Amino acid sequence: MVHMDMIEGPRVSGAVKKGSKSTASANKKFYIDFSAPANDSVFDGDAYLQFMKERIKVEGKAGNLGDAITVSKEGDGKLVVESKIPLSKRYLKYLTKKFLRKNSMRDWLRVVATKKDTFTLRYFNVNTQTEEDAE
């Protein structure tokens, strides 16, 4: 006897099974604010935009964005990622950290979630000693 649970249809990449919970949802906009390091001429926004376009994976292939995902710059300090398919915010954070490490900026910059759909690149708070503390 064959149960209906054992029969599977064709697998569609990015599809969510009925009854399962998904943290990634379709038709989302994510913002990555890099204005602070960009204003200090430490961060190259155009290189970051190109990196994200090349590295975001769709259906297992990097750079295969098509109509599903659009990556664009908004102003001088914001990157906007619009997705019509499920895409996690955590994946964008992972790629941002990878870009920072590749460009040797991971020691000075960190990625902080400021809103539900926004990341911000901030400098690490380095406590500098004053003359009183040194004595």
Side-chain angles (χ1 to χ4, degrees):
M1 180 175 209
V2 176
H3 293 291
M4 292 305 290
D5 297 337
M6 298 171 81
I7 300 173
E8 288 188 29
R11 296 200 81 168
V12 179
S13 179
V16 179
K17 290 183 179 180
K18 187 176 180 181
S20 67
K21 293 183 180 180
S22 174
T23 56
S25 62
N27 296 327
K28 283 286 269 188
K29 265 189 178 181
F30 297 103
Y31 302 94
I32 303 168
D33 182 16
F34 56 86
S35 57
N39 291 339
D40 295 340
S41 300
V42 175
F43 193 84
D44 185 11
D46 294 327
Y48 179 55
L49 173 70
Q50 189 64 32
F51 179 86
M52 292 299 271
K53 284 183 178 180
E54 292 172 359
R55 297 295 174 103
I56 292 177
K57 286 186 178 181
V58 177
E59 296 181 4
K61 292 184 181 180
N64 183 26
L65 301 182
D67 294 335
I69 297 176
T70 57
V71 183
S72 59
K73 259 177 61 170
E74 187 176 278
D76 283 338
K78 234 180 208 181
L79 190 78
V80 181
V81 179
E82 294 180 62
S83 175
K84 295 178 185 170
I85 61 172
L87 180 71
S88 71
K89 183 178 164 189
R90 183 73 184 109
Y91 180 58
L92 296 177
K93 184 175 183 177
Y94 162 76
L95 287 175
T96 303
K97 286 181 173 183
K98 197 170 185 175
F99 176 78
L100 293 175
R101 188 172 313 265
K102 180 182 174 189
N103 292 301
S104 303
M105 291 185 274
R106 188 79 176 99
D107 295 336
W108 299 286
L109 296 173
R110 63 187 181 136
V111 185
V112 179
T114 53
K115 294 181 185 174
K116 187 176 180 181
D117 60 350
T118 306
F119 281 119
T120 305
L121 294 181
R122 294 188 180 163
Y123 292 104
F124 279 110
N125 291 334
V126 179
N127 295 330
T128 56
Q129 290 185 346
T130 60
E131 291 178 17
E132 298 170 40
D133 293 339
E135 292 176 0

